[in-house]
Amino acid sequence: MSKLYKNFIFDIVAAVITLALAIIMLPPIGLGLKALNILLALGLVVYMVVYLFDRLRKTKGTLFVLAAVEMTLVGIIAVCLALQQFHVFNISGICSTIGVVIWLRSVVSLVGMYLTSPNAKTKYSLPVFSIYLALLSFGMFLYARPFISDLVIAWILSVLLFMVMLVFIGLALLYAPARKK
């Protein structure tokens, strides 16, 4: 991966792509809020493939059912976010959606802790339980009272993408091939 960042062509292409995404995400352009839903849907699909699918393969019994239900619900949320562009479904907001996913993850983890703690050789500790309980509360808080609007998230993401573009331009300048005379 470090060799990839030292590649001049990769750095230029990545800078152009992040510049395009940053311009698209600008709220005055008008595509930012629609792109935000698509990006969240893609993020949820990546979360499903990378984390939940691996968790689904490693579990058995009741924990398998819990992981399958979580994966199904996150998949439904991702599909609804994608279909929101066609005005088929109406998802309330990015902050609320993230809150639902955090709440769902913490509920599944807490129920999994409850089901496996009597039979497990290593018991879950109180700090891990407290973290999941705090995530449960935080997810419900995000759903019930989102404190960041979609417009602010679009601005933040656009500014972050502009900063990433500047990093890739800096890497391209740093690893530019030497000119031959």
Side-chain angles (χ1 to χ4, degrees):
M1 190 74 174
S2 66
K3 289 184 179 183
L4 196 59
Y5 293 123
K6 293 179 181 180
N7 188 345
F8 175 72
I9 303 293
F10 172 78
D11 292 336
I12 293 295
V13 169
V16 168
I17 290 173
T18 54
L19 175 64
L21 283 174
I23 290 172
I24 287 172
M25 290 305 298
L26 283 172
I29 303 285
L31 296 174
L33 297 177
K34 290 181 181 180
L36 200 58
N37 288 330
I38 300 269
L39 287 175
L40 182 60
L42 288 174
L44 289 177
V45 168
V46 168
Y47 168 67
M48 283 174 41
V49 169
V50 171
Y51 181 73
L52 290 180
F53 186 72
D54 186 48
R55 190 155 179 94
L56 193 65
R57 285 187 313 148
K58 292 180 180 178
T59 59
K60 293 178 182 165
T62 308
L63 295 178
F64 178 82
V65 172
L66 284 173
V69 167
E70 180 185 11
M71 189 167 177
T72 304
L73 289 176
V74 170
I76 290 171
I77 291 170
V79 168
C80 289
L81 280 169
L83 290 178
Q84 185 177 1
Q85 307 309 313
F86 305 111
H87 303 291
V88 175
F89 292 103
N90 187 13
I91 304 290
S92 61
I94 300 300
C95 197
S96 297
T97 306
I98 292 172
V100 167
V101 173
I102 290 173
W103 179 84
L104 186 62
R105 174 74 248 154
S106 58
V107 164
V108 169
S109 296
L110 285 172
V111 171
M113 283 177 62
Y114 174 75
L115 292 175
T116 59
S117 64
N119 300 332
K121 294 177 184 172
T122 60
K123 296 198 182 259
Y124 286 99
S125 62
L126 185 60
V128 173
F129 177 76
S130 301
I131 288 171
Y132 283 132
L133 203 56
L135 283 174
L136 179 89
S137 301
F138 181 67
M140 186 52 67
F141 174 74
L142 283 179
Y143 176 72
R145 187 168 183 157
F147 60 91
I148 299 176
S149 70
D150 291 351
L151 185 67
V152 172
I153 292 173
W155 275 110
I156 290 171
L157 192 59
S158 179
V159 168
L160 286 174
L161 285 169
F162 275 120
M163 290 192 311
V164 168
M165 180 217 40
L166 290 175
V167 168
F168 278 120
I169 288 174
L171 286 171
L173 292 174
L174 184 65
Y175 296 113
R179 294 185 183 209
K180 296 179 182 177
K181 293 183 179 180

